[in-house]
């Protein structure tokens, strides 16, 4: 049985959410032409890494980073689809599915 710590896991979830928001702001910054969104993007990434640093106090770094990156990638892909009309082909969705399976296996390890 694995030891589960909601406190540090909540920081991991928050880090992933902040990373997703940072990516959306980055898209809205249009290559930093819109400086407000560019600055917000950088700020949210810094806060996300701060939350990730708190999460890895009790979560293995490899697991935390894989979950953070995987959740971020999946949610950013969905945000790209719904906010910006971007589409993945079947290979892209196969990759996202592979990430979900991989994250599940990492968490159960």
């Amino acid at each position: 049985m694995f030891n589960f710590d909601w406190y540090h896991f909540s920081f991991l979830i928050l880090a992933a959410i902040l990373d997703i928001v940072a990516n959306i702001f980055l898209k809205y910054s249009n290559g930093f032409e819109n400086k407000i969104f560019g600055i917000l993007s950088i700020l949210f990434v810094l806060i996300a890494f701060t939350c990730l640093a708190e999460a890895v106090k009790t979560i293995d770094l490899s697991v935390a980073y894989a979950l953070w990156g995987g959740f971020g990638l999946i949610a950013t892909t969905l945000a790209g689809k719904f906010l910006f009309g971007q589409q993945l082909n079947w290979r892209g969705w196969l990759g996202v599915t592979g990430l979900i399976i991989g994250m599940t296996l990492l968490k159960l390890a």
Side-chain angles (χ1 to χ4, degrees), residues 42-56:
I42 292 169
L43 180 64
F44 273 68
V45 166
L46 291 173
I47 298 169
F49 268 98
T50 302
C51 291
L52 184 61
E54 183 66 25
V56 298

Side-chain angles (χ1 to χ4, degrees), residues 12 21-22 30-31 36-37 39-40 46 64 66 74 79 83 86-87 92:
L12 181 59
V21 172
N30 194 29
I36 297 295
F37 282 117
I39 291 168
L40 284 172
L46 291 173
I74 292 165
L83 295 176
Q86 300 169 343
Q87 296 291 326

Side-chain angles (χ1 to χ4, degrees), residues 9-21:
F9 189 72
S10 65
F11 275 101
L12 181 59
I13 293 168
L14 183 58
I17 292 168
L18 292 169
D19 184 52
I20 295 157
V21 172

